[in-house]
Amino acid sequence: MEHLFEYVLRIGDDSLILGQRLAEWCGHGPILEEDIAMTNISLDLIGQATTLLDYAAKIEGKGKNADQLAFLRFDKDYRNLLLVEQPNGDFGMTMMRQFFFDAFRKPFFEALQHSKDEQLSAIAEKSLKETRYHLKHSSEWVIRLGDGTEESHQRIQESLDALYRYTDELFYSDEVQKAMESAGIAPKMDDVRSEWNKTVDYVLNEATLKIPDNQWKFEGGRRGMHSEHLGYILADMQYMQRAYPGLEW
Amino acid sequence: MANREWPLWEVFIRSKQGLNHKHVGSLRAADAEMAIENARDVYTRRSEGVSIWVVESMNLFASDPSEADALFEPADSKVYRHPTFYDVPDGIEHM
């Protein structure tokens, strides 16, 4: 049960933090249409987070709800990937981050649909439809910018170089992951990784982009060891609930 | 400096109940695929549609407003074109 709580938290926190990151674009998109597209995706992710964290709270059995998990934990209690907490940067950086994540989430949810945990399987089925669209959107942008002008190509290649080091963590495996895999609850990470590789190879090839030689890898998010960025995100997110406990509107 | 705005597109949405696509507005997009996606994001967020058409605005031809009198006024005096001059027999419903 403790493993399941931890596992659901990981999936929920990925959606929550990336949703919050994308929401930062609200009103700042490069063009009105794209501003709305990014906030739509943000809302999809926050919707997923709500369902997942509600489920996590139920498993935890301490009488909490999704809001309390989202807004009242300390940074070390968050289990999201380092990738999703990285700053937005320019629009290309945001699309690159999104693409790496979406390319992971699609095969992940496809497999999670067959989870022995009925709740997770139902959440996966609903989220998969959203994720398919997210991936279509982000991969088209990576191709458009990579195979675009000299400047757009150079800039998105720099984003790729900066973010690639966080992608190995997508397939993080530890005691929790292994326990969930053998219980038939979690998808096998090796399978998800091979699907991710296929999508990434195809899209980066179309986009004329290259995976950097320096393959230094970062991980830590799944263990609660975050980059300094998460603290600032949480300060934004949690200020209201901490200053005015229980505030609703 | 060249105009660097993306081209304008007109968006038509078919609703769940409707048979025809109706004009709902316009947006900017670099190509047709992006126009469809933008239309999905801008105009179908509240489940308004089941199908989208986009057409680049430059491909639309419109009637000239200054010719409206000549084009449309002649029809105003021809009420007999409306099928309102028939006596409907008793017992006919849904007319």
Side-chain angles (χ1 to χ4, degrees), chain B residues 2-3 5-6 8 17-18 24 26 30 34-35 46 49 56 61-62 64-65 67 70 72 74-76 78 80 85 87:
Chain B
N3 177 15
E5 285 245 64
W6 289 337
L8 194 65
Q17 294 86 10
V24 293
S26 56
M34 197 200 283
R46 299 177 184 87
E56 235 187 294
F61 294 86
D64 183 345
E67 290 175 15
F72 308 117
D76 288 350
K78 299 174 175 78
Y80 49 82
F85 296 89
D87 292 324

Side-chain angles (χ1 to χ4, degrees), chain B residues 41-61:
Chain B
D41 283 324
V42 176
Y43 292 111
T44 68
R45 303 175 76 227
R46 299 177 184 87
S47 305
E48 290 93 336
V50 293
S51 169
I52 301 172
W53 286 354
V54 290
V55 60
E56 235 187 294
S57 308
M58 58 178 274
N59 291 323
L60 282 178
F61 294 86

Side-chain angles (χ1 to χ4, degrees), chain A residues 186-197:
Chain A
K188 295 212 164 30
M189 275 309 186
D190 289 343
D191 299 347
V192 177
R193 187 197 283 266
S194 77
E195 286 302 308
W196 184 85
N197 281 334

Side-chain angles (χ1 to χ4, degrees), chain B residues 78-94:
Chain B
K78 299 174 175 78
V79 288
Y80 49 82
R81 288 178 181 168
H82 293 277
T84 51
F85 296 89
Y86 299 92
D87 292 324
V88 181
D90 293 340
I92 302 291
E93 288 174 7
H94 311 300

Side-chain angles (χ1 to χ4, degrees), chain A residues 31-34 36-37 39-40 43-44 130 133 136-137 140-141 144, chain B residues 5-6 26-31 33-34 36-38 40-42 45:
Chain A
I31 184 164
L32 179 138
E33 290 81 349
E34 204 51 49
I36 297 177
T39 38
N40 278 351
L43 284 173
D44 285 345
E130 298 166 343
Y133 183 75
K136 181 173 157 58
H137 176 260
E140 280 172 16
W141 269 112
R144 207 175 271 130
Chain B
E5 285 245 64
W6 289 337
S26 56
L27 50 75
R28 295 203 177 264
D31 52 47
E33 199 154 10
M34 197 200 283
I36 293 274
E37 281 171 33
N38 287 348
R40 180 262 191 195
D41 283 324
V42 176
R45 303 175 76 227

